[in-house]
Amino acid sequence: MRNRLPVLLLASGLLLGSGLSAQAQLKLNTKTIGAGLKAAKAATVSDAEVIEHTKEYVKWSDENNPVAPASLPYAQRLKKIVAGLDTYDGMSMDYKVYLVKDVNAFACADGSVRVFAGLMDLMSDQEILGVIGHEIGHVKHKDSKDAMRTALMASALKEGASSQGGAAGALSDSQLGDLGQAIANASFSRAQESSADAYGYDLLKAKKVNPWYMATAFGKLNDLSEGAKASKGAQLFSSHPDSEKRMTIVMEKAQKDGFTKPAK
Protein backbone atom coordinates (compact mmCIF):
# COMPACT_ATOMS: atom_id res chain seq x y z
CA MET A 1 0.00 0.00 0.00
CA ARG A 2 1.30 3.46 -0.83
CA ASN A 3 1.79 6.05 1.86
CA ARG A 4 0.86 9.14 -0.10
CA LEU A 5 -1.91 10.34 -2.33
CA PRO A 6 -0.46 12.19 -5.32
CA VAL A 7 -3.61 13.98 -6.41
CA LEU A 8 -6.06 16.23 -4.63
CA LEU A 9 -9.51 15.09 -3.70
CA LEU A 10 -12.70 16.69 -4.68
CA ALA A 11 -15.58 17.83 -2.69
CA SER A 12 -16.79 16.37 0.45
CA GLY A 13 -15.11 14.33 3.14
CA LEU A 14 -16.87 12.99 6.14
CA LEU A 15 -17.80 13.03 9.60
CA LEU A 16 -14.80 13.85 9.41
CA GLY A 17 -16.15 15.34 3.38
CA SER A 18 -16.59 17.32 3.62
CA GLY A 19 -13.97 19.99 2.70
CA LEU A 20 -11.05 17.66 2.54
CA SER A 21 -7.70 18.12 4.13
CA ALA A 22 -4.72 18.95 1.97
CA GLN A 23 -2.32 17.01 4.20
CA ALA A 24 -1.95 14.14 1.76
CA GLN A 25 0.78 14.47 -0.81
CA LEU A 26 -0.97 16.20 -3.67
CA LYS A 27 -0.14 16.71 -7.32
CA LEU A 28 -0.84 20.41 -7.67
CA ASN A 29 0.28 23.37 -9.69
CA THR A 30 -0.12 26.42 -7.47
CA LYS A 31 1.76 28.94 -9.62
CA THR A 32 -1.11 29.73 -11.98
CA ILE A 33 -3.93 30.04 -9.46
CA GLY A 34 -3.62 33.77 -8.93
CA ALA A 35 -3.55 34.52 -12.63
CA GLY A 36 -6.99 33.04 -13.11
CA LEU A 37 -8.76 34.95 -10.38
CA LYS A 38 -9.41 37.98 -12.58
CA ALA A 39 -12.08 36.08 -14.51
CA ALA A 40 -13.93 34.74 -11.48
CA LYS A 41 -16.01 37.84 -10.83
CA ALA A 42 -17.86 37.66 -14.12
CA ALA A 43 -18.00 33.89 -14.52
CA THR A 44 -21.07 31.80 -13.88
CA VAL A 45 -21.03 28.03 -13.90
CA SER A 46 -24.08 25.98 -14.83
CA ASP A 47 -25.04 22.71 -13.15
CA ALA A 48 -24.22 20.86 -16.37
CA GLU A 49 -20.71 22.35 -16.43
CA VAL A 50 -20.18 21.50 -12.78
CA ILE A 51 -21.02 17.86 -13.43
CA GLU A 52 -18.94 17.80 -16.62
CA HIS A 53 -15.84 19.09 -14.83
CA THR A 54 -16.51 16.87 -11.83
CA LYS A 55 -16.49 13.78 -14.04
CA GLU A 56 -13.34 15.01 -15.71
CA TYR A 57 -11.67 15.55 -12.37
CA VAL A 58 -12.70 12.15 -10.99
CA LYS A 59 -11.35 10.42 -14.11
CA TRP A 60 -8.06 12.28 -13.73
CA SER A 61 -7.88 11.47 -10.04
CA ASP A 62 -8.54 7.78 -10.62
CA GLU A 63 -5.85 7.67 -13.31
CA ASN A 64 -3.30 9.28 -11.00
CA ASN A 65 -4.04 7.39 -7.80
CA PRO A 66 -3.72 3.70 -6.86
CA VAL A 67 -7.26 2.37 -7.30
CA ALA A 68 -7.85 -1.07 -5.81
CA PRO A 69 -8.67 -3.59 -8.55
CA ALA A 70 -11.75 -5.78 -8.10
CA SER A 71 -9.55 -8.76 -7.21
CA LEU A 72 -8.15 -7.15 -4.04
CA PRO A 73 -9.75 -7.68 -0.60
CA TYR A 74 -10.19 -3.92 -0.11
CA ALA A 75 -12.35 -3.65 -3.23
CA GLN A 76 -14.26 -6.80 -2.38
CA ARG A 77 -14.95 -5.54 1.13
CA LEU A 78 -16.20 -2.17 -0.11
CA LYS A 79 -18.44 -3.89 -2.66
CA LYS A 80 -20.02 -5.85 0.17
CA ILE A 81 -20.45 -2.77 2.34
CA VAL A 82 -22.23 -0.77 -0.38
CA ALA A 83 -24.34 -3.64 -1.70
CA GLY A 84 -27.69 -2.19 -2.80
CA LEU A 85 -26.35 1.37 -2.90
CA ASP A 86 -25.41 1.63 -6.58
CA THR A 87 -28.50 3.78 -6.80
CA TYR A 88 -29.87 5.47 -3.71
CA ASP A 89 -32.43 8.19 -3.11
CA GLY A 90 -32.63 8.98 -6.81
CA MET A 91 -28.85 9.13 -7.29
CA SER A 92 -26.43 6.93 -9.23
CA MET A 93 -23.33 6.22 -7.17
CA ASP A 94 -19.85 4.90 -7.97
CA TYR A 95 -17.52 3.53 -5.30
CA LYS A 96 -13.79 2.83 -5.37
CA VAL A 97 -10.93 2.33 -2.89
CA TYR A 98 -7.70 4.30 -3.07
CA LEU A 99 -4.77 2.24 -1.80
CA VAL A 100 -3.28 4.91 0.45
CA LYS A 101 -2.74 4.88 4.21
CA ASP A 102 -4.40 8.22 4.90
CA VAL A 103 -7.62 8.07 6.92
CA ASN A 104 -10.09 9.75 4.61
CA ALA A 105 -13.00 9.49 2.19
CA PHE A 106 -14.65 11.92 -0.18
CA ALA A 107 -17.64 12.25 -2.48
CA CYS A 108 -18.17 14.27 -5.65
CA ALA A 109 -21.14 15.92 -7.27
CA ASP A 110 -21.46 13.17 -9.88
CA GLY A 111 -21.98 10.51 -7.20
CA SER A 112 -18.39 9.25 -7.10
CA VAL A 113 -17.31 8.10 -3.63
CA ARG A 114 -13.69 7.26 -2.90
CA VAL A 115 -12.71 5.52 0.34
CA PHE A 116 -9.08 5.33 1.44
CA ALA A 117 -7.54 2.05 2.59
CA GLY A 118 -6.36 3.76 5.78
CA LEU A 119 -9.97 4.45 6.74
CA MET A 120 -10.95 0.86 6.00
CA ASP A 121 -8.10 -0.39 8.19
CA LEU A 122 -9.34 1.75 11.08
CA MET A 123 -13.09 1.16 10.95
CA SER A 124 -15.60 -1.67 10.92
CA ASP A 125 -17.90 -2.28 7.97
CA GLN A 126 -20.77 -0.61 9.80
CA GLU A 127 -18.70 2.47 10.60
CA ILE A 128 -17.52 2.74 7.00
CA LEU A 129 -21.15 2.58 5.87
CA GLY A 130 -21.91 5.48 8.20
CA VAL A 131 -19.07 7.48 6.66
CA ILE A 132 -20.33 6.68 3.17
CA GLY A 133 -23.86 7.63 4.18
CA HIS A 134 -22.59 11.01 5.33
CA GLU A 135 -20.83 11.48 2.00
CA ILE A 136 -23.94 10.55 0.04
CA GLY A 137 -25.77 13.15 2.12
CA HIS A 138 -23.43 15.86 0.86
CA VAL A 139 -24.17 14.78 -2.71
CA LYS A 140 -27.93 14.68 -2.12
CA HIS A 141 -27.96 18.10 -0.48
CA LYS A 142 -25.88 19.51 -3.37
CA ASP A 143 -23.08 20.50 -0.99
CA SER A 144 -20.56 18.72 -3.22
CA LYS A 145 -21.90 20.46 -6.30
CA ASP A 146 -21.76 23.86 -4.63
CA ALA A 147 -18.20 23.22 -3.46
CA MET A 148 -17.15 22.31 -6.98
CA ARG A 149 -18.86 25.38 -8.43
CA THR A 150 -17.12 27.61 -5.89
CA ALA A 151 -13.76 26.04 -6.72
CA LEU A 152 -14.33 26.55 -10.44
CA MET A 153 -15.26 30.17 -9.87
CA ALA A 154 -12.32 30.82 -7.56
CA SER A 155 -9.73 29.34 -9.89
CA ALA A 156 -11.47 30.78 -12.98
CA LEU A 157 -10.41 27.78 -14.99
CA LYS A 158 -12.55 28.63 -17.98
CA GLU A 159 -11.43 32.25 -18.23
CA GLY A 160 -15.00 33.50 -18.32
CA ALA A 161 -16.27 31.15 -21.05
CA SER A 162 -19.34 30.26 -19.02
CA SER A 163 -20.40 33.87 -18.62
CA GLN A 164 -20.69 34.02 -22.40
CA GLY A 165 -22.78 30.89 -22.53
CA GLY A 166 -20.00 28.87 -24.14
CA ALA A 167 -19.53 25.16 -23.55
CA ALA A 168 -16.88 24.23 -21.05
CA GLY A 169 -13.75 22.78 -22.62
CA ALA A 170 -11.55 20.03 -21.30
CA LEU A 171 -9.22 21.04 -18.49
CA SER A 172 -5.46 20.59 -18.63
CA ASP A 173 -3.45 18.83 -15.93
CA SER A 174 -2.36 22.24 -14.70
CA GLN A 175 -5.95 23.47 -14.48
CA LEU A 176 -7.03 20.31 -12.66
CA GLY A 177 -4.22 20.95 -10.20
CA ASP A 178 -5.43 24.50 -9.70
CA LEU A 179 -8.94 23.20 -9.15
CA GLY A 180 -7.70 20.80 -6.52
CA GLN A 181 -5.88 23.58 -4.71
CA ALA A 182 -9.05 25.66 -4.59
CA ILE A 183 -11.06 22.76 -3.21
CA ALA A 184 -8.40 21.97 -0.62
CA ASN A 185 -9.23 25.24 1.12
CA ALA A 186 -12.99 24.73 0.99
CA SER A 187 -15.08 23.57 3.93
CA PHE A 188 -18.72 22.91 4.65
CA SER A 189 -20.71 24.84 7.19
CA ARG A 190 -21.78 23.33 10.50
CA ALA A 191 -25.35 23.20 9.21
CA GLN A 192 -24.23 21.28 6.11
CA GLU A 193 -22.19 18.85 8.20
CA SER A 194 -25.05 18.32 10.64
CA SER A 195 -27.45 17.64 7.77
CA ALA A 196 -25.01 15.14 6.25
CA ASP A 197 -24.63 13.46 9.67
CA ALA A 198 -28.42 13.13 9.90
CA TYR A 199 -28.57 11.71 6.39
CA GLY A 200 -25.92 9.11 7.19
CA TYR A 201 -27.75 8.22 10.40
CA ASP A 202 -30.97 7.64 8.48
CA LEU A 203 -29.16 5.60 5.83
CA LEU A 204 -27.83 3.27 8.51
CA LYS A 205 -31.35 2.82 9.87
CA ALA A 206 -32.69 2.17 6.36
CA LYS A 207 -30.03 -0.52 5.88
CA LYS A 208 -30.96 -2.11 9.24
CA VAL A 209 -27.63 -1.10 10.78
CA ASN A 210 -27.41 0.30 14.31
CA PRO A 211 -26.81 4.07 13.87
CA TRP A 212 -24.62 3.99 16.95
CA TYR A 213 -21.85 3.00 14.54
CA MET A 214 -21.74 6.55 13.25
CA ALA A 215 -20.92 7.68 16.78
CA THR A 216 -18.21 5.05 17.17
CA ALA A 217 -16.69 6.20 13.87
CA PHE A 218 -16.52 9.74 15.30
CA GLY A 219 -14.92 8.30 18.42
CA LYS A 220 -12.16 6.61 16.45
CA LEU A 221 -11.45 9.83 14.59
CA ASN A 222 -11.30 11.70 17.86
CA ASP A 223 -8.83 9.16 19.26
CA LEU A 224 -6.76 9.33 16.10
CA SER A 225 -6.42 13.09 16.46
CA GLU A 226 -4.58 12.66 19.75
CA GLY A 227 -1.04 11.54 20.41
CA ALA A 228 1.43 10.16 17.92
CA LYS A 229 -1.22 8.83 15.55
CA ALA A 230 -2.34 12.34 14.71
CA SER A 231 0.61 12.78 12.37
CA LYS A 232 -0.24 9.68 10.35
CA GLY A 233 -3.13 11.01 8.35
CA ALA A 234 -6.24 11.93 10.32
CA GLN A 235 -7.46 14.01 7.40
CA LEU A 236 -11.12 13.57 8.13
CA PHE A 237 -10.77 14.84 11.66
CA SER A 238 -8.68 17.86 10.77
CA SER A 239 -11.07 18.93 8.05
CA HIS A 240 -14.17 18.16 10.10
CA PRO A 241 -13.66 19.48 13.61
CA ASP A 242 -16.03 19.00 16.55
CA SER A 243 -16.01 15.21 16.13
CA GLU A 244 -16.54 14.74 19.86
CA LYS A 245 -19.57 17.04 19.86
CA ARG A 246 -21.04 15.41 16.80
CA MET A 247 -20.44 11.99 18.34
CA THR A 248 -22.46 13.07 21.38
CA ILE A 249 -25.33 14.30 19.22
CA VAL A 250 -25.50 10.98 17.36
CA MET A 251 -25.30 8.99 20.60
CA GLU A 252 -28.15 10.97 22.17
CA LYS A 253 -30.27 10.55 19.04
CA ALA A 254 -29.61 6.81 18.92
CA GLN A 255 -30.54 6.44 22.58
CA LYS A 256 -33.72 8.40 22.04
CA ASP A 257 -34.61 6.13 19.12
CA GLY A 258 -34.17 3.06 21.31
CA PHE A 259 -30.82 1.79 20.01
CA THR A 260 -28.18 0.41 22.35
CA LYS A 261 -24.44 0.87 22.00
CA PRO A 262 -22.93 -2.09 20.13
CA ALA A 263 -20.39 -4.27 21.90
CA LYS A 264 -16.80 -3.69 20.86
Side-chain angles (χ1 to χ4, degrees), residues 59-70:
K59 180 176 182 293
W60 184 75
S61 182
D62 287 351
E63 289 173 348
N64 287 275
N65 285 290
V67 176

Side-chain angles (χ1 to χ4, degrees), residues 122-143:
L122 178 69
M123 296 187 178
S124 68
D125 289 1
Q126 298 92 334
E127 290 165 340
I128 293 169
L129 183 60
V131 170
I132 290 172
H134 173 105
E135 297 301 332
I136 294 175
H138 278 304
V139 178
K140 182 63 178 181
H141 299 153
K142 303 186 186 307
D143 301 336

Side-chain angles (χ1 to χ4, degrees), residues 51-72:
I51 296 301
E52 179 182 346
H53 284 314
T54 297
K55 290 180 178 179
E56 186 180 359
Y57 187 91
V58 171
K59 180 176 182 293
W60 184 75
S61 182
D62 287 351
E63 289 173 348
N64 287 275
N65 285 290
V67 176
S71 59
L72 282 190

